[in-house]
Amino acid sequence: MLTDPFRETYLSLLDEAKANGQFTLFDPNYRGNLWEDRLEEFIAQSRRGIHNADLVKVSEEELNIITGVTDRHASLDLLHGLGAKITLNL
């Protein structure tokens, strides 16, 4: 996730695409050195993106950070509960 104004533009376009029935994809693209002091912000922004995504691509690390759960199946269920239709966990 980028910093504003780019992040807000990206998330607004994602919201708009979803509202218009477009297929949407979200990849949080976590980089620890960029988010180390702002982990809660990363989680909140990722959850917003997941809410409007049909397909969510997450790494195991991103999955654990965003959900706070280490069990893979339980954390994927949480992503679906946030709105993801399809999850791709690499």
Side-chain angles (χ1 to χ4, degrees):
M1 301 279 294
L2 305 167
T3 57
D4 280 333
F6 307 106
R7 175 181 41 215
E8 191 56 40
T9 299
Y10 174 83
L11 291 171
S12 293
L13 288 170
L14 184 63
D15 293 344
E16 183 179 330
K18 186 66 175 182
N20 288 320
Q22 301 291 318
F23 184 85
T24 56
L25 169 102
F26 180 74
D27 178 356
N29 202 23
Y30 177 76
R31 298 290 182 261
N33 59 330
L34 299 175
W35 288 100
E36 61 190 349
D37 296 334
R38 304 174 316 159
L39 198 55
E40 292 302 317
E41 181 183 353
F42 171 79
I43 293 167
Q45 296 301 323
S46 294
R47 288 178 173 220
R48 178 176 169 195
I50 291 164
H51 175 73
N52 285 320
D54 294 303
L55 172 64
V56 176
K57 181 208 155 285
V58 289
S59 68
E60 200 70 28
E61 179 183 26
E62 292 164 342
L63 189 60
N64 295 338
I65 291 169
I66 294 166
T67 65
V69 176
T70 56
D71 178 79
R72 185 170 182 250
H73 294 289
S75 57
L76 289 171
D77 285 343
L78 284 170
L79 288 189
H80 289 284
L82 291 171
K85 307 293 184 280
I86 303 166
T87 53
L88 178 61
N89 176 230
L90 303 173

